[in-house]
Amino acid sequence: MNSPPLSRLTRTQVFPLTEGRVTIWWAWADEGLPEFSRLLSPQENKRLAQYRNDVLKAEFLTGAVLLRSALGRHTGLSPTEVRIARECPDCDAHHGRPRSLDAPELDVSVSHAGGRVAVAVAHGMRVGVDVESLSRVGDANSLVDAICSPLEAAHVRKHDVDRQPQVLTDIWTQKEAVLKALGTGLRIPARHLEVAIPGSAPKLHTNPDTGVRLPTGLTVRPLTACGPGYTAALATSTSPVEVRELAGEALLSG
């Protein structure tokens, strides 16, 4: 099934966000654009240099520039003027959850997999976005108990074997989006977080001793514009008023 067309942009459009709205910017990682690195901060270029895999390097580079360009489009700043903090809560490295220093009312999240890159920008709420390539999941049955709650595992296994990788990837993507919105990473084991029960809000199936509590308004939804061969999800700390999925090429070319 093909995804619906993304909204196209002109280079001069500005998208100020108001309370409760979220914009998702989509792009493809492009290994042929090393000049993107001139837009990065010294810390981002240092991290870029640490990548030895060309695909992962292109994904990080595109994600970092798309984030800078998206924040610039929402704030009126140029990509090089945008200030982004990435403090890690566990160490001094520059690889934590990104946040805008110029517009603290905006929350951001970045994800990339298989050459597909997504950046989410939200106003007045926490946000997490995740995209995954369906080709990454092989034998779903060997992974389901490590990833899923008992109810989710039963949900996966009721499907035909050839359908199970898609269902499991959908669940994993939703969990990753929630964990990104919370900023906890895998300090909450995936199997403790339950997201895939129809009609139910995400919840902690069991509560590990992490001190983490889920926001009462936490929502998670699939995203439709990731394209064939991918699945994507958006999590927000409260239910958004509007979610827009936009093509990021004009940002990267402008």
Side-chain angles (χ1 to χ4, degrees):
M1 179 178 178
N2 291 327
S3 59
L6 294 165
S7 299
R8 296 293 165 182
L9 310 173
T10 68
R11 295 186 183 186
T12 58
Q13 282 178 286
V14 177
F15 286 91
L17 280 177
T18 55
E19 187 79 22
R21 286 173 167 77
V22 183
T23 301
I24 314 296
W25 301 88
W26 288 101
W28 293 99
D30 193 331
E31 298 175 47
L33 292 174
E35 68 271 18
F36 277 1
S37 61
R38 65 182 171 80
L39 302 177
L40 302 186
S41 69
Q43 294 90 344
E44 288 167 334
N45 269 310
K46 181 178 178 180
R47 185 174 171 190
L48 178 68
Q50 294 172 347
Y51 283 93
R52 295 294 176 263
N53 180 288
D54 288 341
V55 174
L56 296 179
K57 188 171 187 175
E59 288 177 352
F60 172 79
L61 177 57
T62 303
V65 174
L66 185 61
L67 175 59
R68 287 184 162 277
S69 301
L71 282 173
R73 188 58 62 95
H74 288 297
T75 62
L77 298 172
S78 71
T80 54
E81 292 174 321
V82 168
R83 296 178 303 151
I84 299 169
R86 288 188 175 86
E87 301 99 336
C88 174
D90 300 318
C91 67
D92 295 329
H94 193 68
H95 58 200
R97 189 178 188 275
R99 60 186 179 91
S100 170
L101 295 177
D102 306 295
E105 73 278 9
L106 300 182
D107 198 56
V108 298
S109 182
V110 181
S111 182
H112 37 75
R116 201 67 170 125
V117 179
V119 165
V121 184
H123 186 290
M125 64 179 69
R126 290 293 291 262
V127 66
V129 68
D130 191 61
V131 60
E132 299 291 341
S133 170
L134 297 177
S135 64
R136 296 181 64 181
V137 177
D139 180 11
N141 193 56
S142 65
L143 300 172
V144 67
D145 290 323
I147 293 174
C148 297
S149 73
L151 283 176
E152 289 171 336
H155 174 67
V156 173
R157 288 178 171 133
K158 76 178 183 182
H159 291 83
D160 293 338
V161 172
D162 59 351
R163 172 69 177 154
Q164 288 180 11
Q166 168 80 66
V167 177
L168 182 62
T169 306
D170 289 344
I171 291 173
W172 173 251
T173 304
Q174 291 180 49
K175 294 192 182 206
E176 277 279 294
V178 169
L179 294 174
K180 286 183 175 184
L182 296 175
T184 63
L186 291 175
R187 288 193 294 276
I188 298 177
R191 67 182 182 279
H192 291 285
L193 176 64
E194 193 169 81
V195 298
I197 306 306
S200 298
K203 66 179 183 180
L204 289 175
H205 165 63
T206 56
N207 197 354
D209 187 19
T210 62
V212 176
R213 299 293 182 270
L214 302 191
T216 55
L218 180 67
T219 65
V220 61
R221 66 178 67 194
L223 295 173
T224 59
C226 49
Y230 297 86
T231 186
L234 174 74
T236 53
S237 57
T238 60
S239 182
V241 173
E242 178 189 32
V243 176
R244 297 182 293 185
E245 296 184 64
L246 302 175
E249 286 86 352
L251 295 183
L252 298 176
S253 64

